Amino acid sequence: MAPRPSFIPGGAMSYRPFSRMTETARRTELWRLVLGIVMVGLVSFGLQQALIGLAALALSDAAYWALISQLRVADAPLGMLLLLVSLGGLGVGTVVTARVLHKRSGASLFGPLPLALSQALRCTVAVAGLYLVIALLPPWPLAGQLVPALGFGRWLLLLPLTLLALVIQVGSEELFFRGYLQSQIGARLRHPAAWLILPSALFALGHWSPAMHGDNALLVTVWAFAFGLAAADLTARSGTLGPAFALHLVNNVVAVALVSPQGDMSGLALYHLPFGTGDEAEMRALMPLDLMGILVGWLVARLALRV
């Protein structure tokens, strides 16, 4: 086994708290990590297919194919909820892989749990407060153009399920990319570039979708890479998944439950933008603002934690 990396305290790039997560890593051979990625994918895919198979048994043919159509587009509440919940297979696969291949408990992937919860709460309040201030302050270039989607009463009724589904989706992604990949790589390779860049690159690759984003697919992938770096940095500075989870959750609540582009993955939004993901020029114009939001959210989370 390779020696544990030492994280030098002090300075703007101090990642010493990351040792809280790397010291619980086990069996850190790189071949085992590659096998683990494959195993997570297989378990996640198997669970999704099992759920689809159960739906096929329980529903009529017409209802089944209607459900599959909703899952593919997710422009209605049921389809979007099922899509988000189905990503929970990624979290289950991560926990199973950590236990089977690395003899590591699922809880260890979060860092110390009481600290993770405390940090998540502080960052959620701070980042949500930031988004609220941004929403209230002028200018409001699209405010008058927002299109009502779900009626407020229906949206409010669905909100608890929406939040639960987002917690499952965000928690599963953070568990795999930051909890598992980042800490296992960090326990094996000393240089921060390895465990900051590699998980973020895989996270970005998961957002590559030319079918949805057209010529903007590369820009969306770059956005996801930047987000992955911000989440990885917060994980290393805090030593838990709490801050990355909070930043990711608040971002997704805004993008999924409050205001989303029309079309794909818009089924749970209170409002829609006056264009969809296929309107490349309009979406491209939003990218700098989204990137700025990541940067400011990352800074606010750091201020909340003083790291």
Side-chain angles (χ1 to χ4, degrees):
M1 179 181 293
R4 303 289 183 191
S6 62
F7 300 96
I8 301 172
M13 293 298 289
S14 175
Y15 290 140
R16 184 180 181 87
F18 190 40
S19 61
R20 297 186 186 119
M21 299 181 70
T22 58
E23 67 188 8
T24 59
R26 302 287 183 270
R27 300 187 176 188
T28 60
E29 298 89 348
L30 294 181
W31 68 263
R32 194 181 294 272
L33 181 64
V34 173
L35 181 60
I37 294 172
V38 173
M39 185 174 177
V40 170
L42 290 175
V43 172
S44 178
F45 179 76
L47 288 174
Q48 289 176 347
Q49 293 306 303
L51 288 174
I52 292 174
L54 289 174
L57 292 174
L59 300 174
S60 66
D61 285 348
Y64 171 76
W65 288 111
L67 177 63
I68 294 300
S69 177
Q70 286 196 43
L71 278 171
R72 287 173 179 166
V73 182
D75 60 354
L78 178 60
M80 190 60 186
L81 284 171
L82 290 175
L83 177 63
L84 293 172
V85 171
S86 71
L87 291 171
L90 182 65
V92 175
T94 301
V95 171
V96 170
T97 298
R99 172 61 68 184
V100 172
L101 278 185
H102 304 279
K103 304 304 179 186
R104 182 179 184 184
S105 72
S108 72
L109 301 174
F110 292 91
L113 282 175
L115 180 61
L117 291 171
S118 172
Q119 291 177 338
L121 180 60
R122 288 163 62 186
C123 288
T124 298
V125 171
V127 178
L130 166 70
Y131 277 63
L132 180 62
V133 169
I134 291 174
L136 293 177
L137 292 178
W140 306 283
L142 293 173
Q145 304 177 50
L146 294 180
V147 179
L150 291 176
F152 181 75
R154 189 182 183 198
W155 176 84
L156 193 61
L157 187 65
L158 287 169
L159 186 59
L161 291 177
T162 300
L163 293 177
L164 176 60
L166 285 170
V167 166
I168 292 171
Q169 175 252 324
V170 169
S172 295
E173 291 185 0
E174 290 305 319
L175 199 63
F176 175 63
F177 289 104
R178 261 63 71 176
Y180 174 64
L181 285 182
Q182 183 173 337
S183 66
Q184 286 293 136
I185 294 172
R188 184 72 182 185
L189 302 176
R190 176 180 179 130
H191 202 286
W195 39 264
L196 288 174
I197 292 175
L198 291 177
S200 301
L202 284 175
F203 181 75
L205 186 62
H207 288 74
W208 171 260
S209 179
M212 179 184 296
H213 302 293
D215 290 342
N216 289 336
L218 181 59
L219 285 175
V220 173
T221 303
V222 170
W223 176 92
F225 180 72
F227 187 93
L229 285 178
D233 177 82
L234 287 175
T235 300
R237 290 179 183 275
S238 64
T240 80
L241 282 191
F245 172 83
L247 181 66
H248 199 163
L249 182 64
V250 173
N251 176 82
N252 283 20
V253 167
V254 172
V256 171
L258 294 180
V259 181
S260 78
Q262 298 177 22
D264 292 353
M265 301 182 69
S266 65
L268 293 170
L270 180 60
Y271 291 100
H272 287 160
L273 294 170
F275 48 82
T277 54
D279 297 308
E280 295 174 1
E282 289 82 356
M283 291 299 296
R284 193 179 303 120
L286 285 181
M287 285 295 164
L289 295 176
D290 280 346
L291 287 170
M292 185 61 67
I294 293 173
L295 174 62
V296 178
W298 168 72
L299 289 172
V300 165
R302 286 189 57 192
L303 286 172
L305 297 175
R306 300 181 180 179
V307 296

